[in-house]
Amino acid sequence: MKYSGWPEPGELVVGEIDEIADFGVFVDLDQYEDKRGLCHISEVASGWIKNVRDHVREGQTVVAKVLEVDQSSNQIDLSIKDVNEHQRKETIQDWKNERKADNWMLIALGEDVDDDRYTSVANALLREYDSLYDAFEASAIRGLEALEDVDLDDDAADSIVDAARDNVSVPYVDVTGYVDLESTAADGVDDVKAALEAAEGNGEIPDGVDLDVGYVGSPEYRIKVRAPDYKTAEDELEAAAERAREAIESAGGVGSFHRERREDDE
């Protein structure tokens, strides 16, 4: 996604050097539509520069700091030398992330999505998140819950979550579900405890997966799963709920699984 406006002084931008002159280099700004900046030779590198081509080349991707912006003359002054290595690496990573997010948007909305539809969805996400990448990462981790406050139609929200969970690598995923466990037997309390122990897996939960079962309010119990990816988390959640249901029903009780809490948490 390219911005239609202007960068701000002090902002770090990514661009491609498209022309080299004796007095400096021209940089085509990747993140802004139809915007080109000039980096004077004195701002290309520290120290005296005999030949600017000793320091940069045409087609090179660079990170530059915006020094001044003059919209009336369509001029953007840049500095390459004022960007340290840490800033350069961080800015390049953010830029790469946003390029990934652009591709995910096309996966979610379709390659033939019109500009107005793309812009509308993107702006809705950016009103709630700092970047499109952040929005997709949150959607991969939290699903539709991450988009509750985003002004999107159901089709767009569902498509974004599907694209996120198919494409975004996240360090972990948290999912939550609930089981209702009831027994009218004389030792029904023990039956419920046995069902909860069964849900916890009796020590046989796979490595890299954390599973926690907690009391919400009888007959409702919460199952939380943290796993490296969405599919594993969902599979382990459903397996835990099924173990609890089978255990309580084998003791003559009743069990059921649902994704949302019956009543709001206190």
Side-chain angles (χ1 to χ4, degrees):
M1 179 180 180
K2 290 196 174 186
Y3 300 109
S4 57
W6 292 79
E8 296 288 335
E11 182 178 342
L12 298 181
V13 293
V14 177
E16 180 179 312
I17 295 175
D18 64 356
E19 183 181 347
I20 297 177
D22 291 339
F23 56 85
V25 299
F26 291 93
V27 181
D28 180 29
L29 303 188
D30 182 82
Q31 298 139 302
Y32 290 87
E33 287 182 342
D34 304 320
K35 295 297 185 294
R36 191 182 192 222
L38 171 64
C39 181
H40 188 268
I41 188 172
S42 63
E43 295 294 337
V44 171
S46 300
W48 181 71
I49 298 177
K50 181 179 180 181
N51 186 342
V52 70
R53 292 180 183 274
D54 292 337
H55 300 272
V56 292
R57 66 183 185 279
E58 290 176 349
Q60 179 181 351
T61 297
V62 296
V63 177
K65 181 179 181 180
V66 178
L67 298 178
E68 292 186 26
V69 176
D70 187 342
Q71 297 185 28
S72 62
S73 60
N74 201 33
Q75 183 170 327
I76 303 171
D77 293 332
L78 305 172
S79 174
I80 295 174
K81 74 175 186 180
D82 283 355
V83 180
N84 63 40
E85 185 62 16
H86 173 74
Q87 291 172 321
R88 188 191 71 80
K89 288 182 178 180
E90 190 175 67
T91 303
I92 286 291
Q93 186 59 58
D94 289 343
W95 172 69
K96 288 180 178 178
N97 287 346
E98 285 309 292
R99 294 184 73 175
K100 289 179 183 179
D102 276 340
N103 289 331
W104 298 334
M105 284 283 286
L106 295 179
I107 291 172
L109 302 178
E111 293 283 346
D112 58 350
V113 62
D114 62 67
D115 290 344
D116 289 343
R117 170 67 167 167
Y118 184 104
T119 301
S120 174
V121 172
N123 286 340
L125 292 170
L126 291 172
R127 280 193 287 270
E128 297 296 330
Y129 290 95
D130 291 337
S131 68
L132 293 180
Y133 185 88
D134 289 344
F136 273 90
E137 187 175 58
S139 298
I141 295 172
R142 296 163 50 215
L144 289 172
E145 180 186 345
L147 303 178
E148 285 181 352
D149 296 327
V150 180
D151 185 18
L152 294 175
D153 58 74
D154 290 344
D155 286 344
D158 289 340
S159 296
I160 287 170
V161 170
D162 288 343
R165 286 181 162 167
D166 286 342
N167 294 279
V168 181
S169 297
V170 294
Y172 64 84
V173 172
D174 287 327
V175 295
T176 301
Y178 300 85
V179 285
D180 290 351
L181 304 172
E182 296 180 86
S183 175
T184 58
D187 53 355
V189 173
D190 291 335
D191 293 339
V192 170
K193 286 182 179 179
L196 295 175
E197 290 174 358
E200 291 173 343
N202 297 314
E204 298 181 3
I205 301 301
D207 291 341
V209 174
D210 292 326
L211 190 152
D212 178 71
V213 179
Y215 176 76
V216 176
S218 183
E220 194 173 32
Y221 301 84
R222 180 190 296 110
I223 302 175
K224 288 185 178 180
V225 178
R226 171 170 287 190
D229 59 80
Y230 173 72
K231 184 178 186 305
T232 300
E234 285 291 326
D235 287 347
E236 291 301 321
L237 173 61
E238 292 175 6
E242 182 63 14
R243 289 193 297 268
R245 187 189 65 78
E246 289 180 350
I248 196 70
E249 291 183 358
S250 68
V254 177
S256 63
F257 171 61
H258 49 98
R259 291 306 301 261
E260 301 297 329
R261 213 186 136 193
R262 299 294 189 198
E263 298 178 2
D264 292 337
D265 290 338
E266 293 181 359

